[in-house]
Amino acid sequence: MSSTEQTLSIIKPDAVERNLVEKIKEIFKKNNLVIKDSKKIQISKEEAADFYKVHQSKPFYDQLCTYLSSGPIVVMILQGENAVILNRELMGATNPKEAKENTIRKLYGISIDKNSVHGSDSNSNAKKEIDFFFKH
Ligand code: CMP
């Protein structure tokens, strides 16, 4: 069954720095995702730690939070049919080396850390992540 959903997308510092924002937005738009809201911000390490708290027990947590707060990011609300899964398909696997051809991470990702984009992994996390950036 299909339904209109919203999901959160982040264009990470590596992609903002390389001027890939418009190219990545085009991929979403071409694939029927509407960008309902978008803003360029820079967050503190504490905010990154709060955003990624589901990963706090992981060995890469500290590095992940340092990285997300290292430069400007673009946060967006994407809307469309099955937006959560569609966005994840468009992003490709977390590790760019394992991502399929023509996915954002295959095209632009540099490493598992600098993998250019983040996307919510479920509807419930999408709601939390949208609230985190847009309802504060
Ligand atoms: P993201 O989808 O933003 O969610 C958590 C991030 O942790 C992930 O993308 C990766 O960029 C980063 N990360 C770093 N190391 C790992 C790892 N070993 N496994 C999974 N994610 C990792």
Side-chain angles (χ1 to χ4, degrees):
M1 214 180 74
S2 65
S3 61
T4 301
E5 295 172 352
Q6 290 192 336
T7 191
L8 182 91
S9 170
I10 304 178
I11 303 180
K12 296 187 182 184
D14 66 274
V16 175
E17 191 177 273
R18 287 177 291 147
N19 294 316
L20 295 170
V21 172
E22 288 313 313
K23 286 198 169 107
I24 292 172
K25 285 185 171 180
E26 274 310 311
I27 294 175
F28 294 139
K29 289 188 243 175
K30 252 190 352 219
N31 287 278
N32 300 318
L33 287 170
V34 175
I35 300 170
K36 295 295 282 184
D37 211 341
S38 172
K39 59 184 178 185
K40 189 175 183 181
I41 55 174
Q42 184 160 3
I43 59 173
S44 65
K45 187 169 178 187
E46 290 69 30
E47 287 169 313
D50 192 13
F51 177 75
Y52 272 135
K53 61 177 182 280
V54 291
H55 294 298
Q56 64 193 348
S57 62
K58 310 269 171 62
F60 54 85
Y61 180 60
D62 187 66
Q63 185 181 308
L64 175 62
C65 300
T66 300
Y67 175 58
L68 196 72
S69 58
S70 68
I73 58 175
V74 173
V75 292
M76 290 166 288
I77 300 174
L78 305 180
Q79 183 174 302
E81 294 290 302
N82 299 312
V84 173
I85 284 181
L86 176 56
N87 180 37
R88 292 184 68 77
E89 284 172 2
L90 297 174
M91 289 194 300
T94 305
N95 187 344
K97 289 194 190 104
E98 290 160 13
K100 289 190 190 140
E101 289 304 319
N102 288 318
T103 59
I104 296 169
R105 286 166 168 164
K106 178 72 175 186
L107 290 168
Y108 303 126
I110 296 170
S111 64
I112 197 162
D113 300 292
K114 296 183 174 176
N115 62 355
S116 301
V117 279
H118 166 85
S120 311
D121 64 359
S122 65
N123 270 294
S124 63
N125 280 334
K127 286 187 184 72
K128 287 183 203 153
E129 294 184 355
I130 288 170
D131 282 355
F132 186 91
F133 284 110
F134 290 95
K135 308 257 163 72
H136 266 181

